[in-house]
Amino acid sequence: MKTENVSRTVLAAGVGAVLAATALLYVPEFAGQGPPPPPGPAERAVIAAHAGAQAALPDLAALIADREEWLRAHPDDEASWAELGVAYTERGSRLGDVRDYPRAERALSRSLAERPAARGNLEAQLGLGALAGARGDWKTAREFGERVRKADPKRWPVYPVLMDAYNGLGEYKAAQKAMESLEELHAGAVVRARAAQTYRDRGWREDADAAALDATALAETDAEKAAALARLGDLAWERGEPEEALTRFGASLRLVRDHGPSLAGRARALAALGRTDEAVRDWRAALARLPLPEYLLEAGELYESLGRGGEARALYERLRTGTWQGAEVTLGLLDADHGDPAAAAVRMRAEWARGHRSVRAADALGWALHRSGASREALGYARRATEEGLRSALFTYHRGEIERALDQPGPARRHLTEALRINPEFSPLHARRAEESLTALGELPEELPAELRPEPTKATAPRRS
């Protein structure tokens, strides 16, 4: 769940990179008539996009309104259709509102109708790649990204789209190469944020934190700085440092007071510190601002841990009946832990067959199989989730429980202990269950089992004189 949140933050940064590639430069009508006035909201969004920065949401909304109005009078402007489509995708991704995705698809398709791909409309193709990624369709995202890269290898915004696609497909070496290409072509906050994500995924925690600090220092706008600080907070949280996470989320919220990822992150940190009333308050605020599927599940599990079953079930039902795209992992975990594990296994098998091979998908599939009684099959997926580099307490806990079910006490004890070492409060529900499972396993036996005992040394026969 935490992992998905960080990935979504980075995905929004990737869509912002695509907006940078499609944004148009405004030319004030009064050019040559003295100094221009300060830029308006739509112009600020364009300036942020050209810098590779994240626009403030009100400015992004203003850009969308501006392009919509322009296109009513100039319906053959393919560049503005592409820009509008990408802006819809970015807004939908950052607000968790899938209603923007069909709008984005229509605008990008219209751009291609006005200027087909064969005539070099790379902006619309790149926009369709970003849209596919926002929907969790990693194969299509890779296809569009690779087309654009082949046509123009120096177009830097294609590489964040490709990185998301490769990570979703489990092609981590390709994602690393895309990161290297991005660093060669561009600099700034968006690149350092991407580097932080890459280092995190490889388990290089200190490097990830350093790169995220760089992204914060290089951020051009309050919105981008808030996102960078939220990323720093997530990294601190994943290391099991809730006090440090609280500080970082607080700094983000001082810049953008209703920043959804920071409200959710602060709720996690407060719950870990035992300040559950404040955590509930922040979860309510986060869900009012940004009702993402993973937030609904995580808030529901906090309520459940507090004995507030009715409120937990209401959130689970809201998640189960909502209209979501790209949320199969969260829905699989929901059914595995709070619904029908057999249905979760069917869902996650289908997602895996569709090409989603990320560590998140491997973990969710393994957990669903285990919960539905197929622990032996589950173990291979759990190993895949925990051996790619990412240090996730949740994934490691899942692996430990699967090993315990398979009567492998040594590996189970090791992985359950490791999960609690990575982050002792990784989940209000599962951290306690990890402790209970360790207690049930008992202490290490004083004597080693027969198969681990060293072979007795053969005595040497005495020499005869």
Side-chain angles (χ1 to χ4, degrees), residues 88-89 91-103 290-292:
Y88 280 141
T89 301
R91 185 174 68 179
S93 175
R94 286 171 61 184
L95 293 178
D97 188 351
V98 299
R99 293 175 299 179
D100 266 331
Y101 295 161
R103 297 175 186 132
L290 190 58
L292 297 178

Side-chain angles (χ1 to χ4, degrees), residues 215-231:
T216 305
L218 293 167
E220 299 281 344
T221 65
D222 283 353
E224 190 180 27
K225 193 175 286 288
L229 285 164
R231 188 173 299 110

Side-chain angles (χ1 to χ4, degrees), residues 113-306:
E114 297 296 334
R115 185 185 178 196
R119 287 172 47 205
N121 190 344
L122 299 182
E123 289 81 6
Q125 293 179 79
L126 188 53
L128 286 168
L131 175 61
R135 287 170 156 168
D137 182 357
W138 305 118
K139 284 184 176 179
T140 301
R142 179 183 61 185
E143 180 184 342
F144 278 114
E146 288 179 345
R147 277 190 209 166
V148 173
R149 177 170 61 177
K150 184 177 179 181
D152 185 359
K154 293 188 177 180
R155 184 177 290 256
W156 71 264
V158 73
Y159 293 100
V161 173
L162 282 170
M163 288 172 67
D164 285 332
Y166 292 142
N167 282 324
L169 295 167
E171 298 174 6
Y172 296 107
K173 288 182 180 177
Q176 175 64 30
K177 287 182 181 176
M179 179 71 235
E180 292 165 4
S181 297
L182 176 61
E183 288 180 311
E184 289 171 6
L185 294 169
H186 195 62
V190 67
V191 177
R192 299 312 294 155
R194 283 286 168 173
Q197 176 74 359
T198 299
Y199 296 148
R200 168 188 171 271
D201 290 347
R202 298 181 71 173
W204 301 351
R205 291 183 155 190
E206 291 182 3
D207 294 306
D209 208 59
L213 282 166
D214 290 345
T216 305
L218 293 167
E220 299 281 344
T221 65
D222 283 353
E224 190 180 27
K225 193 175 286 288
L229 285 164
R231 188 173 299 110
L232 279 167
D234 284 326
L235 291 170
W237 162 256
E238 290 177 357
R239 292 193 305 269
E241 299 173 6
E243 290 280 9
E244 177 65 19
L246 203 60
T247 299
R248 291 171 169 186
F249 291 125
S252 173
L253 288 163
R254 283 192 291 276
L255 290 168
V256 179
R257 66 181 180 82
D258 56 354
H259 189 249
S262 296
L263 286 167
R266 191 169 70 178
R268 284 189 210 102
L270 288 166
L273 294 167
R275 296 162 61 178
T276 53
D277 288 345
E278 294 169 87
V280 167
R281 174 207 66 197
D282 272 2
W283 270 125
R284 285 176 177 159
L287 290 173
R289 177 62 175 160
L290 190 58
L292 297 178
E294 60 269 30
Y295 292 175
L296 290 165
L297 178 58
E298 204 168 347
E301 290 186 340
L302 174 62
Y303 284 133
E304 187 174 339
S305 75
L306 297 173

